[in-house]
Amino acid sequence: MTASLADHLDAVVAGTFVRVVEHHDEIGSTNDCARELGADGPLPALVVAERQSAGRGRGGNSWWGGDGALLFSVVLDRATVPLPDDRRSLVALATGLAVRSAVVTVHPEVDVRLKWPNDLLVDDRKLCGILVEEANGRTVIGIGLNAENSLSTAPAEVRTRGVSLVDLVDSTVDRSVLLRAILRHLEAEIARLGSMDEDDRLDRRWSAHCALTGRVVAVRSHDRLTEGYCEGIDEVGALLLRTSIGRERILSGTVESR
Ligand code: BTN
């Protein structure tokens, strides 16, 4: 069994923007729990679980996280994320960038890339998934990072398509260190979201680590499949594809093939 994160959570409150933490040995989904937090509690709040019995991913998919996975949700007051409605998808992109920065700060030897809209990949295998949801005037950011959990015991599909830090690096993987680093980078990225400074532009910084740029990809958006050469993302977070009929902007969807 991996050591519990429970003993490290005071340091999380002391060293990050999180004001309150809830820890569970086992829970259905940290996102579901985060959505149900009382209306009057302090924010940002953090919900951490050692295990989830009903972890959720995008598009109604389930999320597998074995013993040692880093599984948590951060709850923010929607008003503290200064974005107009047509740019809300930037929260998920900013989260991906924050998690990437944190992971490469702690483990610089790992080449982490971003897959639109919000996966982290290493060698085309999924290291981390992000699920951002809005509920009751709050933004819930759910993060599942394969950290101390070896995928050698994972279901076959996860083993084929996923990857975990512990299987990649020679050094010790410490979820508490990663959690603090992610929260610090997340706070910084959220604060930068409203910035008009050209150097802060998320689309430029995100596109620099995009796993899809320069590749032909197929993206399913509702009932439509669009295939094209990926040119990164634009300032509202849309994926840019050069297709047979010109440049298309995909505002939401799932990349099906690469
Ligand atoms: C995806 O890749 O589709 C997103 C996966 C998000 C998984 C995390 S684990 C912590 C949080 N709680 C959930 O139920 N889901 C997110």
Side-chain angles (χ1 to χ4, degrees), residues 28-32 47 52 54-64 70-73 118-119 126 128-133 140-145:
S29 150
T30 58
N31 263 41
D32 290 343
V47 178
Q52 293 183 131
R56 298 188 289 108
R58 293 178 69 236
N61 293 328
S62 59
W63 174 260
W64 181 89
L70 180 54
L71 309 167
F72 65 97
S73 302
N118 44 10
D119 290 345
K126 187 154 165 172
C128 173
I130 293 163
L131 180 65
V132 177
E133 299 177 307
V140 174
I141 302 175
I143 298 175
L145 174 69

Side-chain angles (χ1 to χ4, degrees), residues 7-241:
D7 295 340
H8 300 275
L9 296 176
D10 287 348
V12 167
V13 175
T16 74
F17 73 151
V18 162
R19 291 184 55 207
V20 61
V21 186
E22 204 175 287
H23 174 269
H24 298 266
D25 285 332
E26 175 141 2
I27 200 173
S29 150
T30 58
N31 263 41
D32 290 343
C33 179
R35 292 167 71 116
E36 286 157 17
L37 287 182
D40 300 329
L43 298 178
L46 172 68
V47 178
V48 188
E50 301 296 327
R51 285 170 297 283
Q52 293 183 131
S53 55
R56 298 188 289 108
R58 293 178 69 236
N61 293 328
S62 59
W63 174 260
W64 181 89
D67 178 43
L70 180 54
L71 309 167
F72 65 97
S73 302
V74 178
V75 189
L76 303 169
D77 183 345
R78 198 176 192 272
T80 63
V81 186
L83 287 173
D85 281 349
D86 65 340
R87 297 193 171 205
R88 298 303 299 179
S89 64
L90 290 176
V91 176
L93 295 165
T95 303
L97 203 48
V99 179
R100 182 195 174 274
S101 302
V103 170
V104 302
T105 301
V106 179
H107 297 287
E109 69 275 41
V110 184
D111 183 16
V112 186
R113 309 234 146 218
L114 300 166
K115 178 183 166 195
W116 185 89
N118 44 10
D119 290 345
L120 270 65
L121 304 180
V122 177
D123 288 337
D124 286 346
R125 290 171 172 225
K126 187 154 165 172
L127 178 72
C128 173
I130 293 163
L131 180 65
V132 177
E133 299 177 307
E134 304 275 345
N136 309 322
R138 293 168 167 195
T139 302
V140 174
I141 302 175
I143 298 175
L145 174 69
N146 292 321
E148 296 182 50
N149 52 317
S150 172
L151 295 196
S152 58
T153 57
E157 198 199 311
V158 177
R159 226 170 36 236
T160 319
R161 301 171 65 165
V163 69
S164 181
L165 285 174
V166 77
D167 296 325
L168 285 173
V169 302
D170 293 330
S171 53
T172 305
V173 178
D174 185 332
R175 287 183 302 164
S176 67
V177 171
L178 287 163
L179 177 60
R180 281 199 303 276
I182 291 169
L183 293 170
R184 288 196 193 112
H185 283 279
L186 184 61
E187 178 182 13
E189 285 297 343
I190 297 288
R192 287 169 100 171
L193 273 175
S195 166
M196 302 304 282
D197 188 338
E198 278 293 297
D199 291 341
D200 271 350
R201 277 184 55 171
L202 178 76
D203 54 323
R204 300 220 176 123
R205 294 183 298 111
W206 197 98
S207 293
H209 305 292
C210 176
L212 308 179
T213 299
R215 296 186 181 188
V216 173
V217 299
V219 183
R220 181 160 301 277
S221 185
H222 307 291
D223 285 342
R224 189 160 170 252
L225 193 66
T226 310
E227 193 172 290
Y229 178 84
C230 178
E231 296 182 332
I233 62 169
D234 72 8
E235 68 280 1
V236 299
L239 191 71
L240 302 173
L241 294 188

